[in-house]
Amino acid sequence: MATFLYRLGRFAFRRRHFVALIWVALLTLAGVGAANAPAAGNTSFSIPGTEAQKAFDLLEQRFPGASADGATARVVFKAPAGEKITDAGHKAAVEKTVGTLSDGSEVASVADPYTGKAVSKDGTIAYASVKYDVSGMELEDSSRDALKEAAQDARDAGLTVEVGGDALSAAPETGATEVIGIGIAAVVLVITFGSLLAAGLPLLTALIGVGIGVSTITALAATLDLGSTTSTLATMIGLAVGIDYALFIVSRYRAELAEGRDREEAVGRAVGTAGSAVVFAGLTVVIALVGLSVVNIPMLTKMGVAAAGTVAIAVLIALTMIPALLGYAGRKVRPMGEKSKLLGGGRTRGAGRAAKPNLGTRWASFVVRRPVAVLLLGVVGLGAAAVPAASLELGLPDDGSQPTSTTQRRAYDLLSEGFGPGFNGPLMVVVDAKGSTDPQAVFRDVGNEIKRLDDVVTVTPAAANKAGDTATITVIPGSKPSSATTEDLVHAIRDKGADIKADSDASVLVTGSTAMNIDVSQKLNDALVPYLALVVGLAFLLLIVVFRSVLVPLKAALGFLLSVMAALGAVVVVFQWGWLSGLLGVEETGPVMSMMPIFMVGVVFGLAMDYEVFLVTRMREAYVHGEKPSQAVVTGFKHGARVVTAAAVIMMAVFAGFIGSSESMVKMIGFGLAIAVFFDAFLVRMALVPAVLALLGRHAWWLPKWLDRVLPNVDVEGEGLRTASGAPSRDDDDKELVRA
């Protein structure tokens, strides 16, 4: 591995024009593809294997043309204080709005609140249900504008009017904090390298990699049914790892220059050593992201695969474009320890003054002297941070989680006020009586059985299809959609359905957004343990190959579990309990998104292994080259702590930049990943790792002899480069690369 990457780095350095041209061509090709791609259409959200999805699919078959997946809107009207919505003037304004909405080209139907009994008992609030022929993602802007204009006309008539439903859904917006995050990354790079040019290389290559990845996602969005969140996630992770991987290689290049090597040789050795760490770190991230497919939620699978593709591009760019750009930079990228004149370089150290050990060396020396105290303090601290995770409540966001400044949230609150909290989460019961001798009797029996259940406010009469063999029944719970009581009601209806199935051979299925949310949460919970086993198991095997040790990968996995649990605790504290919510712009607290735990496990594990691989390979390198285990820990920190610290700060800044997003899912993911990187990089990798390795000593690098013979030698530490007699010729490099 190290020898091949060494040759690749030298090749890219010498053939810099060719390498740069390839990447520019790929960026151009992806950009043109994105610009000419058709607009993304329906982004489906299906959950194969769940009862809610089965009911949805049944509705598609038995109620053709009903647009079961069409966008919906609820236009909610409220009369002024002391007046009724049924007053003649207000009624005329509402009916005029209904008539205007009915004229829309994409509107399937509009239910008049007065004929549809959609007026509250006190007569102050009413709503009109609007059904569209297309989904919310396919809805034309003109239809959304018409909806907003109709609502405004009713407001002008003196009514309070708000609009809820997915018809107003729009692509998430990110705030200025995303740009601030990149700015912080730039400042950290300048401080780390002491050079504007060296700092600019990781930023430039990361932006090119993200540009190629996101443009490709945009170009394929319509074909592969990719949502807007997919490109946001790819941007988030691609920027973070792209900057970090380039940072690792540029830092090693400057270290090689400081040892007196010429620039081509320094590039080759940097790519051969740090590049090997980048390859395996990238592989762990890719494994974690692609592994999300085991959950069997198509949207999550597509997000993971798209982000993994962006990570793969970041690895390839770090291995090829960084050496090419270093060739262009020439002497402007200085050896480690030297700064550019613009940043105070060129000053000489006073005579007789010895170089002071850097902070990484001093910290590692302290940890090696006090490993037990550091280990106990770190474990207790992370354990305390993880305690709130025991109170984790999962759910999917609805209009009730929107900021109170939005019309969707105000419509949600008006409906709760006028019709009860359960009105915002109606349950749709689908009765399939195709195998029954008397379907109508079955429909009545199902409705009567549901009425007897607790927490049921309203049960509408069964609405049968043309064939008369399938019907839908709407059930309004007494509790809000995200409550445990509503979840219990869903399970109770399904239990009754099992009894009805046994008696009449009719199937009773519960669907709707509330039931779908419950099924998604359950599916994700069930998949968490298998996913952990798959991802951690594969990465564990990969790290055994990298470190040629059993205990080091085991320690890495246990440390990850501590950091991810602590991060989930922090997410609960902010997004569920509301602590510091105002500071972070979290306007509404509530259940944590169902996807958050499994998503954090996947992404954080991959990113955590970045620091593990880069930091510990330096220690492994020192140990293989003859240093004592404790001294190898100090040497690893001497060369790697500054870079890992900078990489962690950069990654935190990039992730935190997405906290300003208008999308609650993106906001939560940005915060969760930023705090997870903090815990993992600064508490686990920078404190617990050296403490554990100091306690284990030589045992840390133990590997059974039979396993040592079986495992391939990937030579991440670059031993083959050190023992090789003389540098290969340029012709040898080119021939070897052609054969590879």
Side-chain angles (χ1 to χ4, degrees), residues 444-461 475:
R444 287 193 301 271
D445 291 344
V446 171
N448 292 332
E449 290 290 339
I450 294 174
K451 288 177 182 178
R452 298 189 185 101
L453 297 175
D454 295 334
D455 200 48
V456 173
V457 174
T458 304
V459 178
T460 65
V475 180

Side-chain angles (χ1 to χ4, degrees), residues 301-605:
T301 299
K302 293 170 185 176
M303 289 172 61
V305 171
T310 307
V311 172
I313 293 172
V315 171
L316 292 175
I317 282 185
L319 297 178
T320 57
M321 193 169 187
I322 281 292
L325 294 179
L326 289 172
Y328 284 118
R331 297 184 180 276
K332 293 179 182 178
V333 176
R334 300 170 179 269
M336 184 170 288
E338 292 187 19
K339 295 182 179 181
S340 64
K341 293 182 180 180
L342 181 63
L343 298 173
R347 299 173 185 171
T348 57
R349 186 181 300 276
R353 290 179 59 190
K356 182 180 179 181
N358 63 22
L359 182 60
T361 302
R362 299 197 300 273
W363 169 250
S365 300
F366 169 78
V367 174
V368 167
R369 291 195 305 269
R370 301 284 188 273
V372 175
V374 172
L375 181 61
L376 289 177
L377 189 61
V379 170
V380 170
L382 288 169
V387 168
S391 303
L392 181 68
E393 297 177 8
L394 298 178
L396 288 178
D398 56 14
D399 284 348
S401 62
Q402 295 269 13
T404 53
S405 58
T406 62
T407 186
Q408 293 96 321
R409 172 57 190 274
R410 291 196 292 265
Y412 181 97
D413 292 340
L414 283 177
L415 289 171
S416 296
E417 175 188 340
F419 302 92
F423 194 79
N424 284 293
L427 306 176
M428 179 178 288
V429 179
V430 182
V431 185
D432 179 7
K434 192 171 185 178
S436 174
T437 56
D438 189 356
Q440 292 299 324
V442 172
F443 300 155
R444 287 193 301 271
D445 291 344
V446 171
N448 292 332
E449 290 290 339
I450 294 174
K451 288 177 182 178
R452 298 189 185 101
L453 297 175
D454 295 334
D455 200 48
V456 173
V457 174
T458 304
V459 178
T460 65
N465 63 346
K466 290 182 179 180
D469 57 7
T470 307
T472 59
I473 300 173
T474 300
V475 180
I476 306 297
S479 304
K480 63 181 182 179
S482 59
S483 68
T485 306
T486 301
E487 183 175 349
D488 292 339
L489 176 59
V490 170
H491 293 310
I493 296 174
R494 288 173 174 172
D495 291 341
K496 286 292 182 183
D499 297 336
I500 293 170
K501 175 73 172 178
D503 295 337
S504 63
D505 201 30
S507 298
V508 178
L509 306 173
V510 185
T511 189
S513 60
T514 302
M516 184 70 80
N517 289 352
I518 292 171
D519 287 351
V520 169
S521 298
Q522 186 62 50
K523 191 176 182 70
L524 289 167
N525 287 338
D526 293 343
L528 185 57
V529 173
Y531 175 69
L532 263 176
L534 173 69
V535 172
V536 176
L538 288 176
F540 181 79
L541 295 175
L542 183 65
L543 293 179
I544 287 179
V545 174
V546 174
F547 296 129
R548 306 196 74 78
S549 163
V550 173
L551 296 180
V552 170
L554 180 61
K555 172 264 307 169
L558 293 176
F560 151 74
L561 291 175
L562 274 174
S563 59
V564 78
M565 290 304 297
L568 279 174
V571 169
V572 169
V573 165
V574 173
F575 289 89
Q576 189 173 307
W577 294 357
W579 297 6
L580 301 178
S581 57
L583 180 65
L584 296 174
V586 180
E587 296 190 38
E588 291 299 322
T589 59
V592 173
M593 281 184 308
S594 301
M595 294 183 183
M596 195 64 187
I598 200 165
F599 186 81
M600 279 190 63
V601 164
V603 177
V604 174
F605 182 79

